[in-house]
Amino acid sequence: LFPTPESFVRRTDQGPESLTQLRRLLAEEKRQGYAYEEGHITPGVSSVAAAALDHAGHPAAAISITFRTDTLTPADRLHLTHRLRQAANALTRRLHG
C-alpha cells in the first residue's frame, strides 16, 4: 500500500507520517483496546473506535463515535471511550469472541 513515502496520504498535518509510525500507532491502539484520532481526517473533528472480536480473536466489527473535538472535556472523552469499549466487549461476547 505504501511503496514510497510520497504514497503515504495525510489529509491534515496530524497523524502518522510514515509506515513505521503507522505500525507503532496501530500496535499502541491494539494494546490499549481502542483507537482515538483528533483531526487526522478533518480538523476539529475527533473519533474513538473499538473492535469487536470473533471466536478466533479476529476483528469482526467495530463501533465508532465521531464528534467535534471542542464539545468534550478530557473527562467526558475518557467516559465516552470507556462506554464504547463496554459496547464493543458486549458485542464480542455476542459474537462468541
Side-chain angles (χ1 to χ4, degrees):
L1 292 176
F2 307 108
T4 66
E6 296 79 30
S7 64
F8 199 86
V9 176
R10 294 179 70 214
R11 293 184 179 195
T12 65
D13 287 333
Q14 304 295 316
E17 297 180 7
S18 67
L19 186 54
T20 300
Q21 289 180 358
L22 177 61
R23 285 183 174 142
R24 192 174 305 125
L25 176 64
L26 292 173
E28 174 63 17
E29 290 170 344
K30 183 177 181 180
R31 184 197 63 72
Q32 68 189 12
Y34 67 93
Y36 176 74
E37 69 86 15
E38 184 176 322
H40 294 192
I41 305 300
T42 304
V45 177
S46 297
S47 297
V48 62
L53 308 178
D54 66 12
H55 68 282
H58 297 131
I63 301 172
S64 173
I65 299 172
T66 301
F67 52 92
R68 280 192 13 226
T69 305
D70 63 359
T71 61
L72 295 180
T73 67
D76 290 338
R77 192 186 93 208
L78 189 61
H79 178 72
L80 177 70
T81 301
H82 176 72
R83 296 297 306 267
L84 184 77
R85 290 187 68 205
Q86 286 180 323
N89 289 339
L91 182 54
T92 292
R93 287 190 297 277
R94 295 192 72 147
L95 293 170
H96 304 286

